[in-house]
């Protein structure tokens, strides 16, 4: 079975660590590509390629601001990821509940000694 192109699938697009880094940076607001590239220690063309992929899957939007183009997060595109990851919430909640119970047992044993 052929793998879906990164430009058409949110999961494949965010599999790239640099793209996730870009999304994190854009959480604080819009930024020009030059600022993103500098923050990431990347070239402007390399950053632009990642932004293009993120824009094509609906995670980033862009707009003109004078001579600059500003990029911003469009978190609505992460809905499918959130819904998928949410399916594991019960697993993590149960794991943390067991861990909490174990820690409480250890504290009780220490207090009894």
């Amino acid at each position: 079975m052929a793998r879906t192109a990164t430009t058409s699938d949110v999961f494949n697009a965010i599999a790239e660590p640099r793209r996730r880094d870009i999304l994190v940076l854009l959480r604080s607001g819009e930024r020009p590509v030059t600022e993103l590239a500098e923050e990431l220690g990347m070239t402007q063309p390399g950053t632009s390629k990642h932004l293009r992929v993120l824009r094509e899957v609906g995670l980033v939007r862009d707009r003109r601001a004078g001579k600059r183009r500003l990029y911003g997060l469009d978190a609505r595109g992460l809905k499918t990821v959130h819904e998928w990851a949410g399916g594991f919430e019960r697993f993590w909640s149960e794991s943390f509940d067991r861990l909490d119970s174990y820690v409480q047992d250890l504290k009780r044993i220490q207090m009894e000694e």
Side-chain angles (χ1 to χ4, degrees), residues 44-62:
Q44 185 271 327
T47 304
S48 291
K49 287 179 183 180
H50 287 304
L51 285 166
R52 185 186 77 244
V53 170
L54 292 170
R55 191 175 61 243
E56 289 176 358
V57 299
L59 296 177
V60 168
R61 57 179 159 53
D62 64 320

Side-chain angles (χ1 to χ4, degrees), residues 81-101:
V81 175
H82 174 72
E83 290 170 349
W84 178 81
F88 295 94
E89 185 175 348
R90 190 174 120 232
F91 168 78
W92 287 110
S93 293
E94 290 172 358
S95 295
F96 287 130
D97 288 346
R98 285 192 306 272
L99 178 60
D100 183 52
S101 178

